Amino acid sequence: MKDGCSPQGQCGACTVLVDGAARVSCVTPARRVAGRQVTTLAGLDPLRRQAWAEAFCATGASQCGFCTPGIILRLEGLARRSPGAGPAGALAAHLCRCTGWQTILEAARLVTGESGAAAQPPRDYAAAARRAALEGGCPQAVGPHVACGEGGFADDTAPADALVAVPAPGGGWALGETPAEARRAAGSVEGRRSTLRAEAPLRVPPGDWDCTLRTCWSEPGYLELDASWCLPGGEPADPLANGGALGAKTRSAAAAAARRLADETGRAVRILYSRPDATRLGPKRPPVAGGANADGTGRLAVARTPGVVEAIAAVAPGLEVVEVDVAGPPTSADIRAAGALEALALLAGARGAAGPIRLPGGGEAAAQVAEKITVEVSCGRPLDEVVLRSYCIGAAHMAYSLVTSEAIATDADGTVVDLTVRSFGVVPAARTPPVEVTIVPSDAEPTNGSDSVFVAVAAATWLARGCLPVWPTDRRS
Ligand code: FES
Ligand code: FES
């Protein structure tokens, strides 16, 4: 069982079955389930658990795997209680940040027999893991065990007697014997969704532009919260776990803090962020505001972020980039295609055509967005088509969601005030267009393909929305 937002009850990671019905356990008091049967994924009938795990693996429905145990139990509860019901609506209670939903729906159809249980071709999981590492940017396991939540998450192996440390307001760490005690010591208040409107913080540089774009603060929203633990004198558990959140966790403070506090206290120390902690302190994509012309020239203002000017210059040399100091949460150029995506989308808008995208060191992708999202990707030997397709679908969803829906509000000081999972604006399964992926056969050396897909789908989505001048295009509150 996982914790992605407790006690918000909004991510679904902690879902269990209570007398066969799915319930989020973090908001279910123990007294309400007294005398009733509570089943976690580990307690599911082994053959049924294996069927779900193999189906998720066969369709690529589990990448990091943090969300998957809860989703499997939700779908199992649906299959038991409402066998004919479509699974997309049931997923509204969940957040999966990796997969883009479609492969999860395919896995559900495999298990319920709706799509016919075709024999699965043999897989080379080492090759699949290599493809996953290329796409995710850090080591990643692939196999049915990942769908069971066994991807190697730091907090799953923390010693039971470890001191718990949580971020304290104003910096530093608050300690306690339990998460509740540490959070009390920190004076933590459960985060809410604010009534403030999400705003694009930068202004478009003056000029006569064919096309302009401004973006808001948006939350990467990785599901496994920052966590680590360490024994005195030991090596801290890796907060990147199974995938690294596509760059968003690259500089997590959790591991260094676990090591330092363990050495200082002489005890095992477990670092644990809450969802509001990760939302306030975690890095965001640098917001931009820019104008461009059809000839590829233009000016782009971007929130000051080490490395972002270079990232933009590498893909859009005709854009003059101006870094701007802006009050707001931390930003990072490590986040998937940060700056490059926005620059290339702006140029596509100015040209009035998306065109193929090739990011430095990566493959090539082209995309069209209408009733469905169509993607073609060429990135060397696929190594494992299931994994590559899964990453391309996840990237397509992430791009579509970023352009149309994702934004968080900040107050006048730039402090993030939208602190709940539901306030991030991630497009749910029921509103995600189908994604069709064509993988171009190649014998070339494998390289990352899904980052180019991410950019290509963002540009195509924006063009399909008429290049409205502010992202997200569909959500202004
Ligand atoms: S941890 Fe319970 S719903 Fe997120
Ligand atoms: S696989 Fe769903 S959050 Fe990573």
Side-chain angles (χ1 to χ4, degrees):
M1 204 162 72
K2 308 297 185 200
D3 175 359
C5 73
S6 70
Q8 292 181 355
Q10 293 187 353
C11 78
C14 66
T15 298
V16 297
L17 294 178
V18 178
D19 290 342
R23 295 277 178 271
V24 279
S25 59
C26 71
V27 288
T28 305
R31 66 177 180 281
R32 286 242 309 268
V33 295
R36 302 173 72 185
Q37 187 178 48
V38 179
T39 310
T40 65
L41 186 62
L44 204 60
D45 170 76
L47 286 178
R48 192 68 177 164
R49 186 172 64 240
Q50 185 183 349
W52 280 112
E54 287 179 357
F56 269 66
C57 186
T59 63
S62 204
Q63 288 180 17
C64 79
F66 196 80
C67 68
T68 318
I71 288 178
I72 288 177
L73 288 170
R74 174 80 51 188
L75 296 172
E76 172 69 17
L78 189 74
R80 287 185 195 180
R81 298 204 150 205
S82 317
L91 294 180
H94 293 261
L95 176 66
C96 173
R97 204 46 175 145
C98 304
T99 65
W101 308 116
Q102 181 170 310
T103 48
I104 295 175
L105 301 176
E106 291 165 359
R109 288 186 206 111
L110 263 186
V111 172
T112 57
E114 256 182 80
S115 56
Q120 300 302 320
R123 301 270 299 275
D124 174 349
Y125 287 130
R130 193 174 156 213
R131 172 51 73 183
L134 277 171
E135 300 307 323
C138 75
Q140 191 158 351
V142 176
H145 68 290
V146 172
C148 292
E150 295 162 14
F153 302 104
D155 202 48
D156 290 349
T157 51
D161 62 351
L163 261 179
V164 178
V166 304
W173 301 88
L175 297 169
E177 294 296 332
T178 64
E181 193 179 301
R183 283 174 186 155
R184 266 197 305 279
S188 301
V189 178
E190 186 47 36
R192 298 183 190 287
R193 177 176 190 164
S194 82
T195 52
L196 288 179
R197 186 181 156 110
E199 300 284 354
L202 300 176
R203 300 278 157 240
V204 174
D208 186 15
W209 309 118
D210 292 338
C211 188
T212 64
L213 171 64
R214 298 171 68 209
T215 65
C216 293
W217 300 105
S218 62
E219 167 56 34
Y222 46 82
L223 193 53
E224 187 219 7
L225 296 161
D226 299 62
S228 181
W229 62 271
C230 193
L231 298 173
E235 276 298 312
D238 187 354
L240 298 189
N242 198 33
L246 296 159
K249 269 200 215 159
T250 309
R251 293 168 205 255
S252 172
R259 188 201 300 261
R260 182 174 61 75
L261 290 170
D263 289 345
E264 282 174 12
T265 61
R267 286 189 52 187
V269 170
R270 172 185 171 202
I271 299 284
L272 199 54
Y273 280 40
S274 66
R275 178 57 61 183
D277 292 333
T279 311
R280 279 187 297 109
L281 305 174
K284 316 293 175 235
R285 298 184 75 77
V288 306
N293 295 313
D295 65 0
T297 60
R299 289 189 89 194
L300 190 68
V302 57
R304 190 178 302 284
T305 306
V308 76
V309 173
E310 295 79 358
I312 296 169
V315 298
L319 288 184
E320 182 190 339
V321 184
V322 193
E323 281 192 287
V324 178
D325 291 309
V326 52
T331 53
S332 171
D334 295 336
I335 293 178
R336 189 182 220 177
L341 175 142
E342 290 81 356
L344 288 169
L346 175 61
L347 292 177
R351 274 197 318 272
I357 297 291
R358 179 184 286 278
L359 292 182
E364 185 170 292
Q368 291 178 331
V369 174
E371 296 299 303
K372 65 180 177 182
I373 298 173
T374 311
V375 168
E376 183 175 280
V377 63
S378 174
C379 52
R381 290 194 308 285
L383 298 173
D384 184 280
E385 294 216 357
V386 172
V387 167
L388 178 54
R389 175 176 178 270
S390 169
Y391 267 92
C392 291
I393 291 171
H397 170 268
M398 190 176 273
Y400 180 84
S401 185
L402 175 71
V403 172
T404 63
S405 181
E406 292 180 27
I408 50 172
T410 56
D411 66 13
D413 299 332
T415 302
V416 177
V417 291
D418 276 339
L419 298 173
T420 68
V421 170
R422 288 297 150 81
S423 56
F424 302 161
V426 176
V427 172
R431 287 201 288 111
T432 300
V435 184
E436 199 173 279
V437 178
T438 301
I439 297 170
V440 177
S442 169
D443 286 328
E445 191 57 22
T447 185
N448 175 290
S450 60
D451 289 355
S452 296
V453 170
F454 181 48
V455 177
V457 173
T461 301
W462 194 40
L463 284 158
R465 288 292 196 278
C467 294
L468 294 172
V470 181
W471 291 2
T473 55
D474 300 5
R475 176 175 179 263
R476 300 300 306 132
S477 62

